[in-house]
Amino acid sequence: MEKVSSAFAGELKKAGVRHLFGIPSIHNIGFYDALRGEPAMTHVLCRHESSATHMADGYARGGAGPGVVVTSTGPGAAYMIPPLMEAWWSSSPVFALSTNIAAGRIGKKTGVLHEIENQSSMFAPVTREQFCPRGAEEVIPMTRDALRMMREGRPGPVFFEVPTDLWDRDCDEHETADNERGVHEQCEGDLDGAAVILARAERPLIVAGTGALRAGIGTAVKALAEVLGAPVVTNAEAKGVIPEDHELAFGNAARRGVVRDMIRSATAVLAVGTRLRNVDYARRGVTMPHLVHADFDDRFMDRNFPAEIRLTGSLRAITDGLRERVGQASGEKSWSSEFRRRLDEERRAIADERDEPAFVDAIRRALPRDSSLVIDNTMLGYWSEYFYDSYREGGLVTAKGSSIIGFGFPAAIGLKLARPDHPVAAVTGDGGFFYGAQELSTCIRHGVGFPLVVVNDGAFGIIDYLQRLIYGQGHETSLINPDLRSFAASFGVPADRVHTPDELEQALASSLGTGRMHLIELEASFPESPFVRY
């Protein structure tokens, strides 16, 4: 009879899982024993559970299936929580697998190794659901339910814990399950009424968010925008939902200046796959007149802007349905050409007065059009959110769900493993890099290679900037770093030190050509965030 561990691994394989990220421990070695018998799935041995979770998140965002992270009970499980917070708010389908103490001892408070009371409750705020089998017969049905949940509706992480003594139990005979992705193209709401609002609007605007990116509807959004003549703005993660050299692409909606003027000029708004977060929209003084809000469900509707019409369900069905209807009701029109001219002038003026856009442009020139740039929450990352042109869905990968630092490097590892033939680069700061710098060993162990730009200014730069902006001076933000080239070399990773945009562009282009892991230390200071002025 098959063991629970083998049957569980088989369910993951049938669901299309090809990589898992984790660390073996006393409580999960039963599962690791089963993994030895599944050569179709590659385990990526990591050096910290938080980094492993970010890798699984990056892998999931790469579109190769769910990102699976494996940790132990108690402390190991708890290290997943901050990265899962990021995955949760960024709608990333991560399967967070942990263990628990023996089923019969759970809740007894007898002092078993790694015991924690009500472990799964820690994950309730940051996962779609928590699955906690307590008998061998429950593991496989719950596994199928968890995997099904990840394929349906709003993407997001799930938590799954298995008591350590269940791994080696015999598994009851179970029928094979069809784990193929189901097609659910239904939607609820007044599509006809929404189409009338958009078709009749003098100045329609489309706001596309992370949900639109996860649903893969960039082509549909672009088609709808072209019929309406509607400019498109996005949040940072969704940049590239339509290529940002398209005449209707206006980039990050958080921008001041021309972008904000344009948003304020709109007479009707279609918000698709976006929470319309306070941090992105409401606090910036914009309005959303005649709002049509389309999302997977109504969980985040009417939080900051009241919707005139709510559309829920399949974002593809909603967008295609609107396209069909407005195509019948309206002719092609455009109102954004003057804003486009002003935006181009504004961009040139900012580049004349600031050094940061030159570094962003250097990265853009070095990377192929179909590449992905993974950024951390660091100064150069913030400038990239505003001024890096993304030409494809997933062209800019960010940690804006929770604005965590330490995301960029490990997430890029996961993304590169998900799409090994896809050009990937990452940008992080010296502060964020050392949250997971030891994962250079993971790259060497598994043959993962991409250019990693570490901006070394010897500080938590954004915090120092905010302290100076608000209180006049910084405090406790200076960092002491090792020599980064020597540090990288100790792992067998080549490294360069650059100072100028031209040097950065050359180092990136050379690194991409090798296919190897390469650290590029950018010794530069970016003393001002773009948020306040731009």
Side-chain angles (χ1 to χ4, degrees), residues 36-211:
R36 289 191 300 111
E38 288 291 357
M41 294 193 295
T42 299
H43 177 263
V44 179
L45 180 62
C46 304
R47 302 301 294 270
H48 196 283
E49 290 89 347
S50 288
S51 296
T53 312
H54 284 313
M55 290 182 205
D57 185 356
Y59 187 90
R61 298 189 197 201
V68 179
V69 55
V70 187
T71 72
S72 185
T73 311
Y79 282 129
M80 293 193 291
I81 292 175
L84 285 176
M85 180 180 174
E86 167 59 33
W88 166 247
W89 289 119
S90 290
S91 298
S92 185
V94 174
F95 191 102
L97 171 62
S98 187
T99 49
N100 207 326
I101 61 176
R105 292 184 177 271
I106 294 174
K108 300 297 178 60
K109 304 178 186 178
T110 58
V112 177
L113 179 67
H114 294 332
E115 180 180 8
I116 181 171
E117 188 172 1
N118 200 9
Q119 174 176 268
S120 64
S121 66
M122 297 191 296
F123 297 88
V126 295
T127 58
R128 289 189 62 185
E129 187 62 79
Q130 305 80 52
F131 297 86
C132 305
R134 293 295 180 257
E137 74 283 355
E138 296 178 324
V139 174
I140 300 307
M142 284 192 179
T143 302
R144 293 171 179 169
D145 288 343
L147 292 167
R148 187 179 305 112
M149 176 174 284
M150 296 184 72
R151 297 192 301 271
E152 296 177 352
R154 182 185 300 278
V158 298
F159 175 72
F160 199 101
E161 70 170 34
V162 180
T164 186
D165 59 323
L166 298 190
W167 290 124
D168 290 332
R169 297 268 186 92
D170 289 336
C171 183
D172 292 338
E173 295 294 329
H174 52 274
E175 296 179 1
T176 58
D178 181 7
N179 280 316
E180 293 299 316
R181 179 182 294 271
V183 178
H184 302 278
E185 294 296 328
Q186 297 180 347
C187 61
E188 295 184 5
D190 185 3
L191 272 175
D192 291 330
V196 169
I197 289 175
L198 296 172
R200 291 180 178 176
E202 182 181 358
R203 295 185 296 277
L205 172 73
I206 296 176
V207 179
T210 301

Side-chain angles (χ1 to χ4, degrees), residues 112-361:
V112 177
L113 179 67
H114 294 332
E115 180 180 8
I116 181 171
E117 188 172 1
N118 200 9
Q119 174 176 268
S120 64
S121 66
M122 297 191 296
F123 297 88
V126 295
T127 58
R128 289 189 62 185
E129 187 62 79
Q130 305 80 52
F131 297 86
C132 305
R134 293 295 180 257
E137 74 283 355
E138 296 178 324
V139 174
I140 300 307
M142 284 192 179
T143 302
R144 293 171 179 169
D145 288 343
L147 292 167
R148 187 179 305 112
M149 176 174 284
M150 296 184 72
R151 297 192 301 271
E152 296 177 352
R154 182 185 300 278
V158 298
F159 175 72
F160 199 101
E161 70 170 34
V162 180
T164 186
D165 59 323
L166 298 190
W167 290 124
D168 290 332
R169 297 268 186 92
D170 289 336
C171 183
D172 292 338
E173 295 294 329
H174 52 274
E175 296 179 1
T176 58
D178 181 7
N179 280 316
E180 293 299 316
R181 179 182 294 271
V183 178
H184 302 278
E185 294 296 328
Q186 297 180 347
C187 61
E188 295 184 5
D190 185 3
L191 272 175
D192 291 330
V196 169
I197 289 175
L198 296 172
R200 291 180 178 176
E202 182 181 358
R203 295 185 296 277
L205 172 73
I206 296 176
V207 179
T210 301
L213 174 68
R214 300 287 178 257
I217 58 170
T219 300
V221 170
K222 176 174 170 286
L224 178 58
E226 289 172 344
V227 169
L228 290 170
V232 179
V233 293
T234 70
N235 61 345
E237 175 79 1
K239 280 168 62 70
V241 162
I242 73 169
E244 291 194 312
D245 53 357
H246 191 286
E247 63 180 1
L248 293 174
F250 280 75
N252 194 335
R255 288 271 302 274
R256 295 175 182 269
V258 175
V259 171
R260 188 167 303 179
D261 290 345
M262 186 191 68
I263 295 174
R264 287 173 171 167
S265 298
T267 56
V269 177
L270 169 65
V272 56
T274 172
R275 294 167 51 201
L276 294 177
R277 301 188 311 168
N278 176 275
V279 68
D280 296 321
Y281 302 100
R283 75 169 183 170
R284 300 178 186 275
V286 300
T287 58
M288 298 282 170
H290 298 294
L291 174 62
V292 176
H293 198 164
D295 209 348
F296 297 105
D297 50 52
D298 61 3
R299 182 182 306 168
F300 302 118
M301 292 182 178
D302 299 319
R303 302 287 183 175
N304 292 304
F305 300 96
E308 188 166 330
I309 292 180
R310 298 159 194 81
L311 304 172
T312 59
S314 163
L315 297 185
R316 183 174 301 279
I318 291 170
T319 311
D320 287 345
L322 290 173
R323 166 68 180 83
E324 294 171 3
R325 287 163 173 79
V326 299
Q328 298 170 2
S330 66
E332 187 173 337
K333 57 182 182 291
S334 177
W335 62 278
S336 61
S337 57
E338 176 61 18
F339 286 102
R340 167 60 59 193
R341 183 191 64 77
R342 287 176 51 196
L343 185 65
D344 292 342
E345 289 180 354
E346 180 184 75
R347 177 65 166 81
R348 288 191 292 269
I350 294 171
D352 287 341
E353 67 183 26
R354 303 290 311 183
D355 293 333
E356 292 89 348
F359 285 94
V360 174
D361 290 344

Side-chain angles (χ1 to χ4, degrees), residues 350-407:
I350 294 171
D352 287 341
E353 67 183 26
R354 303 290 311 183
D355 293 333
E356 292 89 348
F359 285 94
V360 174
D361 290 344
I363 297 172
R364 179 64 277 178
R365 288 192 301 270
L367 300 186
R369 184 178 179 87
D370 65 341
S371 62
S372 289
L373 176 65
V374 187
I375 59 173
D376 213 76
N377 283 290
T378 187
M379 282 294 204
L380 188 55
Y382 299 138
W383 284 92
S384 298
E385 290 175 25
Y386 276 29
F387 298 112
Y388 181 83
D389 288 332
S390 175
Y391 299 135
R392 59 173 298 275
E393 294 174 280
L396 185 70
V397 180
T398 73
K400 304 312 293 185
S402 66
S403 293
I404 195 170
I405 67 171
F407 164 89

